[in-house]
Amino acid sequence: MKETRFAVAMADAELHMLYTCPFSWKVRGLTDYLGVKNNIIQVNPMKIKKTLPSSPEWTKTPVWVESDGKIVVDSTPIMKHIDSKYNDGELWKTSDEERRDKWLEWVDLHMSKATIPILYGSLFSALKTTTRISKLEKFGFISKRLYAWAGFPIMWGIIAKKRVKKDGRKPKKLWHDLLSEFTDAFEGKPYFGGDSPNLVDFAAFGYMRSVSPFPQFQQLTDHKAGMEWYNSLENAIKT
Ligand SMILES: N[C@@H](CCC(=O)N[C@@H](CS)C(=O)NCC(=O)O)C(=O)O
């Protein structure tokens, strides 16, 4: 279903993304699942404002550019756009719009806030994260080194500490609670969307997927229901 649909569609849409950006992964998981071919433009994190095609009005990743030049911004609207254009809106259709909308909002509100604490919540994990990010992202020669060493005290000391304190839970506990709450809403099915995933699944997947290149991901792997969902979605995306 996926390949044929895209075979007739345009081949050169662009996804401007940061490799470690959770919002970018919401879109990337979806395009991979649907088989929507696109050029992935990995943005230099230090040059976002200068290089994004949506700049200066919108200076955040992800940004989606259609082959006709139409620019779509903001991860959730991008997901809806892609599903509607390449998939007849199948992943957005539901018999219970209230449930879908409520949970999409929940995912965007809560899961988005859980990535920073787990990645930067302690000084050591912050160091591991910035070092890894400096390797994964497309930095320049100097900014790569600067980011790895100067980035972690900032992320830990200023941003993550405040978030962890505000929530009150350890980052691992926060993730486990969120995964339980989310998977409990599946009503006995393998996905939020039922027997197959829908856009709410892909939104949640993006947040979790963005943590996966980091060693802290290990802290999530003992959440049974969460991992079952994550792994089966990952397999569905690959096949
Ligand atoms: N609501 C936006 C948030 C996007 C966002 O905050 N992206 C981050 C990277 S993960 C970014 O580009 N930050 C740069 C900035 O805020 O200047 C979405 O869902 O796409």
Side-chain angles (χ1 to χ4, degrees), residues 18 21-23 26 48-49 58-62 74-76:
L18 287 171
C21 168
F23 308 102
K26 284 165 66 182
I48 292 186
K49 288 201 169 76
W58 183 268
T59 52
K60 292 169 198 258
T61 59
D74 210 356
S75 54
T76 295

Side-chain angles (χ1 to χ4, degrees), residues 14 38 53 70 75 145 153 195 207:
E14 287 174 355
N38 58 94
K70 179 185 157 86
S75 54
R145 283 146 183 89
D195 292 319
Y207 293 112

Side-chain angles (χ1 to χ4, degrees), residues 200-215:
V200 181
D201 289 288
F202 285 103
F205 177 81
Y207 293 112
M208 194 158 160
R209 172 65 180 78
S210 73
V211 181
S212 71
F214 300 95

Side-chain angles (χ1 to χ4, degrees), residues 1 9 16 32 43 46-47 55-57 64 71 79 83 94 115 132 156 179 181 187 194 208 220 226 234:
M1 138 208 122
H16 295 251
D32 286 353
V43 181
M46 297 294 175
K47 294 188 179 158
S55 191
E57 287 82 14
W64 180 260
I71 295 175
M79 292 173 86
D83 179 50
T94 175
T115 59
R132 184 110 185 85
W156 167 71
L179 285 173
E181 215 177 318
E187 297 166 348
M208 194 158 160
L220 312 186
E234 199 173 42

